[in-house]
């Protein structure tokens, strides 16, 4: 399970509470405003009945090198374990 997930009901990134179904978002940085990409992904997740979303930009602490060093190597597993990966 990812360390953190974005709760689509509250709009907060939180420590993953338990083993919950989540969607993962795969995207190319800089092609479209990330807020638009996340909003579209959030709608898709909720339509699937999933209220948790993993997005690297939100769920990995971008200003923390230790967190990035821990989380980046796990990304492939996060995509694999996701209920759905949105591209």
């Amino acid at each position: 399970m990812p360390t953190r997930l974005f709760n689509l009901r509250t709009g907060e990134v939180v420590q993953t509470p338990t083993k919950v179904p989540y969607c993962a978002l795969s995207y190319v940085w800089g092609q479209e405003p990330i807020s638009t990409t996340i909003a579209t992904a959030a709608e898709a997740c909720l339509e699937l009945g999933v209220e948790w979303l993993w997005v690297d930009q939100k769920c990995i602490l971008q200003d923390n090198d230790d967190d990035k060093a821990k989380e980046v190597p796990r990304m492939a597993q996060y995509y694999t374990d996701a209920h759905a990966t949105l591209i």
Side-chain angles (χ1 to χ4, degrees), residues 53-86:
L53 177 63
W54 184 84
V55 182
D56 61 349
Q57 188 183 50
K58 286 193 160 289
C59 298
I60 297 174
L61 303 177
Q62 299 299 313
D63 59 350
N64 184 314
D65 290 338
D66 290 337
D67 195 63
K68 286 195 281 189
K70 182 179 103 180
E71 294 293 312
V72 169
R74 297 176 177 175
M75 288 175 60
Q77 193 64 50
Y78 296 164
Y79 288 116
T80 299
D81 292 345
H83 177 75
T85 298
L86 308 170

Side-chain angles (χ1 to χ4, degrees), residues 9-58:
R9 299 284 180 207
T10 66
E12 297 176 320
V13 175
V14 298
Q15 293 291 111
T16 302
T18 58
K19 188 171 183 176
V20 295
Y22 67 94
C23 291
L25 176 61
S26 175
Y27 65 100
V28 177
W29 281 52
Q31 282 197 336
E32 180 177 310
I34 188 64
S35 59
T36 302
T37 304
I38 291 173
T40 302
E43 289 177 24
C45 286
L46 292 172
E47 286 178 18
L48 292 170
V50 177
E51 59 186 68
W52 298 95
L53 177 63
W54 184 84
V55 182
D56 61 349
Q57 188 183 50
K58 286 193 160 289

